[in-house]
Amino acid sequence: MAAFEKINLEKGMYQTGRSLTEILEELDPSENYQGTALEGLDAFSRQLKRFDIKVSGRGSDTIEKFFATSNSAALFPEYVSRAVNAGREEADVLGDVVATVTKIDGMDYRSCTSSLTDDDKSLKRVAEGAFIPVTEIKTNDNLVHLHKRGRMLVASYEALRFQRIDLFTVTLKQIGAYIARSQMADAVDVILNGDGNQNACGSVSPASAGSLSYADLISLWGALSPFEMNTVLASGTAMTALLTMNEMKDALAGLNFQGTGKMITPLGANLIRTTALGGNSIIGLDKNCALEMVVAGDAAVDYDKLIDRQLEKASISCIAGFAKIYNGAAKKLTY
């Protein structure tokens, strides 16, 4: 009998503050399977194989397969959590917006920042024995506001037991996508209004009110100096205005888009459309130093209800917040 087949799975594994996958990897490390038929599977996937549970593909099992034994039932909450996280990752564009992700165990977190003047941003020559300029790093006055985003899963076990797992996965992924879009809205709100430490986003005025020109994009790009404008967030209206500019209609650019699927972007920045921005608004930012994402654990599920088949009201939620790192690394343009 292989090592992964001897592990006793129980509800208490979810009470450690770590995911079931992390605990299983500790008990049954994946490196032990290099060069074997199980190479490429993580510890959770090996448990699915142990109980012959197929979660995708033509031979996908029904949900009741999870509840064939008490051991296999303990896998169901982790499956739900992984499916929700997969949906978040597929719909998530925060990776192109945040500079770093900080995971915490509690609900209180205070970020740090460095307020740089124009004089601080240039490294001057220092003569022998002279004073070396100082960059001060300090914690913010206010805590990062963490928001809980989630959905309540309302369904009876009888209604779900004969449903295919891959079909149920689609629903769970949609829940993850909703959470990702909500977190994107939280990120945009912090960029625009600040994180409570008097660091609201600076604005750039258009050359002509009511219309967007390429010169406005140049002004936005210049206002970010010495930071780099490598990401542009735009509302649906602003995205249309951007892509219909004469400068964006270059014939060679059109050939490149049809040949490679890569769209021409303003000044080489990554262009992201988001419903979190309304009206005629554009945000230019340096994704490498503008925003920090703070996450309190992974997707949380009511593991006890799921294991006990009490699906009538089982919640799925994520807790996250955002903090600004350098205030000048993002600018807003409203035309």
Side-chain angles (χ1 to χ4, degrees):
M1 183 179 290
F4 70 92
E5 296 177 309
K6 301 177 183 178
I7 298 176
N8 182 37
L9 303 174
E10 57 180 354
K11 187 187 300 185
M13 289 180 167
Y14 290 95
Q15 300 173 347
T16 62
R18 296 182 296 165
S19 70
L20 180 64
T21 299
E22 292 174 331
I23 295 174
L24 291 175
E25 283 290 347
E26 186 176 288
L27 298 173
D28 180 38
S30 292
E31 55 263 25
N32 295 343
Y33 296 89
Q34 293 181 0
T36 70
L38 298 177
E39 183 178 9
L41 298 179
D42 64 6
F44 178 76
S45 299
R46 287 192 292 275
Q47 291 301 316
L48 292 179
K49 184 174 180 61
R50 168 188 175 184
F51 295 102
D52 194 29
I53 301 174
K54 300 180 179 64
V55 298
S56 62
R58 178 177 295 181
S60 175
D61 288 310
T62 58
I63 290 177
E64 71 172 348
K65 187 69 174 287
F66 274 108
F67 301 97
T69 68
S70 59
N71 270 268
S72 61
L75 297 174
F76 188 58
E78 183 69 2
Y79 150 73
V80 171
S81 179
R82 285 165 67 109
V84 170
N85 283 328
R88 286 175 58 198
E89 292 171 0
E90 290 175 3
D92 190 16
V93 294
L94 284 173
D96 295 317
V97 177
V98 300
T100 182
V101 178
T102 302
K103 291 189 176 183
I104 61 174
D105 295 326
M107 293 295 291
D108 293 336
Y109 177 78
R110 200 182 303 271
S111 185
C112 64
T113 187
S114 174
S115 299
L116 299 180
T117 63
D118 291 337
D119 190 57
D120 294 330
K121 294 174 185 177
S122 60
L123 295 182
K124 300 179 180 179
R125 293 182 180 178
V126 180
E128 183 177 352
F131 174 76
I132 299 178
V134 174
T135 296
E136 181 182 5
I137 299 176
K138 59 182 181 179
T139 57
N140 287 326
D141 295 331
N142 295 320
L143 297 171
V144 174
H145 297 287
L146 299 177
H147 302 283
K148 186 175 183 178
R149 301 287 189 181
R151 283 287 188 275
M152 186 71 72
L153 184 64
V154 180
S156 66
Y157 172 69
E158 288 73 20
L160 291 178
R161 59 181 298 190
F162 298 120
Q163 297 298 323
R164 296 290 176 183
I165 297 175
D166 55 353
L167 177 61
F168 189 50
T169 300
V170 174
T171 301
L172 295 175
K173 283 186 175 182
Q174 278 301 305
I175 293 176
Y178 297 150
I179 294 174
R181 285 191 284 269
S182 297
Q183 289 177 338
M184 182 63 182
D186 291 339
V188 170
D189 179 67
V190 169
I191 292 174
L192 292 177
N193 303 312
D195 55 16
N197 292 285
Q198 299 181 347
N199 51 4
C201 182
S203 298
V204 176
S205 300
S208 177
S211 63
L212 181 66
S213 67
Y214 198 72
D216 294 331
L217 293 179
I218 299 297
S219 298
L220 182 62
W221 171 78
L224 278 171
S225 179
F227 298 104
E228 176 187 1
M229 189 175 78
N230 45 38
T231 300
V232 172
L233 306 179
S235 65
T237 303
M239 179 73 82
T240 301
L242 274 169
L243 298 180
T244 54
M245 286 181 179
N246 290 330
E247 289 81 0
M248 308 290 281
K249 296 179 181 178
D250 180 80
L252 183 59
L255 286 174
N256 185 55
F257 175 69
Q258 295 180 36
T260 66
K262 294 182 179 180
M263 182 173 54
I264 185 173
T265 59
L267 303 173
N270 186 21
L271 187 58
I272 300 174
R273 180 176 67 87
T274 174
T275 56
L277 269 176
N280 302 331
S281 298
I282 293 174
I283 295 175
L285 59 91
D286 187 341
K287 63 153 291 191
N288 296 316
C289 44
L291 204 63
E292 174 189 15
M293 183 177 184
V294 182
V295 180
D298 294 320
V301 299
D302 286 339
Y303 62 86
D304 52 343
K305 292 184 178 180
L306 295 179
I307 292 175
D308 295 337
R309 311 184 199 182
Q310 299 172 0
L311 303 183
E312 286 79 4
K313 285 188 177 180
S315 66
I316 304 169
S317 60
C318 296
I319 300 176
F322 299 89
K324 281 194 171 183
I325 303 175
Y326 288 104
N327 190 29
K331 298 289 183 183
K332 174 187 176 184
L333 169 66
T334 301
Y335 61 93

